[in-house]
Amino acid sequence: MSDESGPTDNLAALIEANKHYSKTFDQSELQPAPTKHFAILTCMDARMDPYKFAGLMDGEAHILRNAGGRATEDAIRSLIISHKFLGTLEWFVIHHTNCGMTLVTDEKIGDLLEEDLETAVFDGETWINPARDASDNRKSGSDAGKSMAWHTFTDLNQSVLTDMETIKNHPLVPSHIKVYGFIFDVKTGKLTPVVR
Amino acid sequence: MSDESGPTDNLAALIEANKHYSKTFDQSELQPAPTKHFAILTCMDARMDPYKFAGLMDGEAHILRNAGGRATEDAIRSLIISHKFLGTLEWFVIHHTNCGMTLVTDEKIGDLLEEDLETAVFDGETWINPARDASDNRKSGSDAGKSMAWHTFTDLNQSVLTDMETIKNHPLVPSHIKVYGFIFDVKTGKLTPVVR
């Protein structure tokens, strides 16, 4: 037996888990503004829980997550809202080791998606699309991925530094906001500061 | 005494909390692909912890968060990567009650930021910029906010439905991906399904 679940299980399990959660819910007095006045921007990666690795309680901080923890336009939109309406003054940019975004390039993503939308497999060296026989008529790929920015990167330290700069240099980010950079190690749970 | 902390405390506290976390870290065997094959897209709001409200363990799901939990281009980028490289097959779009994104309009955000980048205050009816005296020469506002999409919304059910549609209709989203919508109630901890 494995710990993996299929699609039909997940919806029911989530609803059931939430029933239990709401029965003992005691956070109704929390206010929208984070009490610690900070926000964390990190990756969507399943192995990282910012509440745990940063020792946070409910109500203390904004958590922003996307593929890579990158300072995309949308992440910056969210950070500006976080400061302008909810008073955060410090932002932590946290990328992590073994990130999928370092194992592929923007160009490769565009090529793979043009051929096929199904989940690719990593053959040890590169990503390849799943095999298809001639009778398979599922929806095929699209070239829409060629014109998208996928925000892949190769150097982990550099990606954190680049994102910190992107944030600091944005015209809507006040100069007194503090921006910190860290790398989370998925093998040790440890955060290491990134400094220029 | 209050439970609020200032900027200098936060960095040290986060580093200290992480030291404790990494000392007992036992997740080094987790793999990048989420074992439950799903992703949650939700708001950055400090009052919501998806691991708790959805009953999740480390390694089970991707968590994507931005201001509002909106299906922005960046959220869709992340979801496509989640499916294409890490095999997720179900995506949950979860917005929440008392969301700051319903208390302001895109136009108003542009106006407030043009005048001043400092945190605004809600006077019970609308957001206003903080008072400034004439000697205050901090960096003032910028009109860069006028050309940004802030993804505010007025109807919570509709915002979930709109985002579900945006995701389903994207050319890079396979038709067999399941997209579910929910509203999280910050006063009860309860998830309510959104259906057309």
Side-chain angles (χ1 to χ4, degrees), chain A residues 3-8 10-11 13-15 17-18 21-22 25 27-32 34-38 40 43-55 58-67 70 72-78 80-87 89-90 92 98 101 104 109 112-113 116-120 127 129-130 139 142 144-145 148-151 170-176 178 180 182 184-191, chain B residues 3-8 10-11 13-15 17-18 21-22 25 27-32 34-38 40 43-55 58-67 70 72-78 80-90 92 98 101 104 109 112-113 116-120 127 129-130 139 142 144-145 148-151 170-176 178 180 182 184-191:
Chain A
D3 61 351
E4 307 210 355
S5 332
T8 31
N10 286 330
L11 181 60
L14 185 138
I15 291 169
N18 180 256
Y21 176 69
S22 63
F25 186 77
Q27 314 274 28
S28 61
E29 299 309 312
L30 291 180
Q31 298 302 306
T35 55
K36 291 203 165 168
H37 309 297
F38 72 82
I40 289 178
C43 186
M44 66 181 179
D45 194 282
R47 295 164 292 179
M48 308 165 68
D49 181 346
Y51 296 90
K52 288 192 205 148
F53 75 59
D58 288 344
E60 293 188 334
H62 281 147
I63 312 287
L64 289 69
R65 305 184 68 170
N66 64 28
R70 302 307 313 266
T72 57
E73 186 179 295
D74 191 46
I76 291 174
R77 169 187 74 90
S78 301
I80 293 164
I81 287 170
S82 172
H83 166 69
K84 183 70 189 171
F85 298 102
L86 294 153
L89 296 164
E90 295 173 285
F92 294 79
N98 193 233
M101 300 299 284
V104 68
I109 296 178
L112 286 165
L113 288 168
D116 194 325
L117 301 183
E118 298 305 310
T119 300
W127 291 94
N129 276 318
K139 187 175 169 186
S142 155
M148 279 175 70
W150 294 98
H151 299 283
H170 194 282
L172 295 173
V173 172
S175 50
H176 62 80
K178 286 192 165 45
Y180 307 111
F182 284 89
F184 177 82
D185 187 325
V186 295
K187 292 296 175 198
T188 65
K190 219 172 164 175
L191 289 172
Chain B
D3 61 351
E4 307 211 354
S5 331
T8 31
N10 286 330
L11 180 60
L14 184 139
I15 291 170
N18 179 256
Y21 175 69
S22 63
F25 186 76
Q27 314 273 25
S28 61
E29 298 308 312
L30 290 179
Q31 298 302 305
T35 55
K36 290 205 165 169
H37 310 298
F38 72 81
I40 289 177
C43 186
M44 65 181 181
D45 194 282
R47 296 165 291 181
M48 308 166 68
D49 181 347
Y51 295 90
K52 288 193 207 147
F53 75 59
D58 288 343
E60 293 188 334
H62 281 147
I63 312 287
L64 289 70
R65 306 184 67 170
N66 64 27
R70 303 306 312 265
T72 57
E73 187 179 294
D74 191 47
I76 291 174
R77 169 186 75 90
S78 302
I80 293 164
I81 287 170
S82 172
H83 167 69
K84 182 70 188 170
F85 297 101
L86 294 153
T88 63
L89 296 164
E90 296 173 283
F92 294 80
N98 192 233
M101 301 297 285
V104 67
I109 295 177
L112 286 165
L113 288 167
D116 193 325
L117 301 183
E118 297 305 309
T119 300
W127 291 94
N129 276 319
K139 187 175 169 187
S142 157
M148 280 176 70
W150 293 98
H151 298 283
H170 194 281
L172 295 172
V173 172
S175 50
H176 62 80
K178 286 192 165 45
Y180 307 111
F182 284 89
F184 177 81
D185 187 324
V186 295
K187 292 295 175 199
T188 65
K190 218 172 166 177
L191 289 172

Side-chain angles (χ1 to χ4, degrees), chain B residues 84-159:
Chain B
K84 182 70 188 170
F85 297 101
L86 294 153
T88 63
L89 296 164
E90 296 173 283
W91 299 339
F92 294 80
V93 177
I94 306 180
H95 297 176
H96 68 95
T97 59
N98 192 233
C99 187
M101 301 297 285
T102 61
L103 298 176
V104 67
T105 61
D106 277 33
E107 193 189 355
K108 179 81 181 173
I109 295 177
D111 289 346
L112 286 165
L113 288 167
E114 185 173 32
E115 194 177 89
D116 193 325
L117 301 183
E118 297 305 309
T119 300
V121 285
F122 194 69
D123 71 0
E125 267 185 40
T126 185
W127 291 94
I128 51 171
N129 276 319
R132 289 272 184 108
D133 63 42
S135 66
D136 189 337
N137 58 1
R138 284 173 298 178
K139 187 175 169 187
S140 62
S142 157
D143 66 0
K146 298 260 182 190
S147 55
M148 280 176 70
W150 293 98
H151 298 283
T152 56
F153 56 95
T154 49
D155 183 314
L156 195 50
N157 261 279
Q158 190 53 53
S159 71

